Amino acid sequence: MLTLLINGTVINNEGQLNEVEVKIENNKIVEIGQNLDQTNCELIDVKGNLISAGFIDVHVHLREPGGEHKETIETGSYSAAKGGFTTIAAMPNTRPVPDCVEQMNKLQTRIQETAHVNVLPYASITIRELGEELVDMEGLKNAGAFAFTDDGVGVQSAAMMLQAMKKAASINMPIVAHCEENTLINKGSVHEGVFSKENGLNGIPAVCESVHIARDVLLAEAAECHYHVCHISTKESVRVVRDAKRAGIKVTAEVTPHHLLLCDEDIPGLDPNYKMNPPLRGKADRAALIEGLLDGTIDFIATDHAPHTADEKNEGMLLAPFGIVGLETAFPLLYTHFVETGKITLQQLIEFLTVKPAETFSLDRGSLEVGAVADITIIDLKEEQEINPETFLSKGRNTPFAGWNCKGWPVMTLVNGKIAWEKGSVLV
Amino acid sequence: MNHLLTMNELTITDLDEILEDAEKFKNGKQWSIDQQTFIANLFFEPSTRTKFSFEVAERKMGFEVLNFEAETSSVQKGETLYDTIRTLQAIGAKAVVIRHPQDEYFKELQGKVNIPIINAGDGCGHHPTQSLLDLLTIKQQFGRFKGLKIAIVGDIRHSRVARSNAEVLNRLGAEVVFSAPNQWQDSTNPYGQYVHIDEAIETSDVVMLLRIQHERHNEAMGLSKKDYHALFGLTIEREKRMKLGSIIMHPAPFNRDVEIASELVECERSMIFKQMENGVFIRMAVLKRALQVAKEGVVVC
């Protein structure tokens, strides 16, 4: 089975767009060039659009099992395909939590049966994410766990975290951390800053996150473990990670599009679509995140796609759950507000979504080269449209970006050489 | 709010987690709350096992127990159940355990009280911790529910346990059969077929006997105790015909030589006292679930 993508463009090392064709045999890229032999090939005309390695998002909430009213593996992975993501990692804060081999096997079966893209399931660090008891890391690794995280909550006990890191290091697996010190949450629903003060709301202070990161990098050093920071959001956190990297500690970090694009002063009112965890921080935090991304302190971008139902989000700022969807809006938002404005290059943006996460987690994905798996995203950089939540393939409509006008929309996604989504297709 | 009111509200995941926690408590796991924690036990009708079992569970977890005596409380002055709970909440109780003769007494409280309610039995309705300890006992014995056949024998109509056990066992993949005298059959219970007592006993993995609840019966039993024992009781002769590896269960208190031959109460098959032992661990697990600050499964992002 041969497939040939014709009339495409790729971005070269100098950042220029070159015309190119890509030949796929079975699930691998076998040739990249011009005027390739078309014998026995199924042709796909990509009409001058950009051909990129498929995007990777290591921070996605698919909600299945237990939260299928918010999202399923099927809907979430289709949403990912529409956003140009060919590999996503599913967070374990589900019910039940994938904290044992039996649950992991069940989850893997559901993924095989229903996923439209590569779905890599996280296992939790502790049983039921309670922070009390370590999971069987070896068993879970053998059952296909991508990495270990208690995302949704922070691991409160330093002793537990150290034990987890030592065990993870011994089996060459990373610890991925949601960093939040429960005693500092302050029952907040937004960042402790301008917005919380103006609106008389309890705020979650920046130190609630950074104190955990500071603790954890030292634990990671002691355990010689690869420690990855989820959704970094404060300037102090960036500084701690930067210092830790300089000290030779194996720490990596991700940042979300919404923390790069928004700060608490952008929240228009008590709209729960602006409520996420970590919260939108201050202006200086946002600047530090951009700086950290550009100087390599922050390794890549991940969406923290967190779907909730409209009813849940309509509970008001205090009661609504934290989180916004992100898979279908990430690239257009970042392309429009970072590449088009000259803050970063297109090549950098693609790296933040492909090579960098792949390198961080040693994935054999994320590169557009001969011999690589044919996970490919095709993007129309000229297409311009408003973000309309009603068109999302995700069950979630919870986004603060509704109505934003963006350029650079994915038009086709191939996973393992097969079309997983193309513009205009919907789930039937 | 992590109430425990009925078995129906518990998902399979909830059940798995409660059983898992109970097993851990049985194996010596400790779980407590750092600050002083008061739990109120409100028993509006007599109870030995359940009341003491909750109290032992509470004390094992380091909680302070507030024992409420209906006959010496303000209930005698006309205080409502809601006002009683609000009062206990105001003075610092973190959870209430309630047994009440009124069916579904908790309905009037739902959405109004801000501390977890644990139902320790309501009228002829629900007794979730009894069902849970039964499940734990079965799981310890067989390691599974799927494919097991469970006979529930006796006063199906007036039993708190029969309906909720049958429903949950069905959900867990077990087959349930009932055996009861005509006047104690419950045509509204859809979770199992009625079969002859001998068939039930000879083909089931678990024979769950129910207590004859004299205090709840308006009409006379219509059978002498001796007759009941011969017709529907687990006689010595019937026990000999039970399946290899099968077990006997009874929520207790048992009437010797009525539901079960006195000699069988502590026979090898009998799990009656093991059920009581498990009751403490189940109640510890249920209290943990009610009081856990970071309830698992809560999606916080």
Side-chain angles (χ1 to χ4, degrees), chain A residues 120-166:
Chain A
L120 310 173
Y122 280 97
S124 60
I125 296 170
T126 62
I127 302 283
R128 279 145 56 187
E129 292 201 358
L130 291 173
E132 296 168 356
E133 204 179 331
L134 205 59
V135 297
D136 168 14
M137 285 189 165
E138 223 149 347
L140 283 158
K141 180 188 179 180
N142 295 334
F146 164 65
F148 297 99
T149 183
D150 273 4
D151 186 53
V153 286
V155 176
Q156 298 305 301
S157 154
M160 175 54 65
M161 194 54 145
L162 182 62
Q163 189 191 344
M165 285 180 174
K166 282 181 172 171

Side-chain angles (χ1 to χ4, degrees), chain A residues 334-346:
Chain A
L334 294 164
Y335 179 73
T336 305
H337 295 277
F338 284 88
V339 177
E340 289 261 292
T341 55
K343 290 192 180 84
I344 61 173
T345 66
L346 175 59

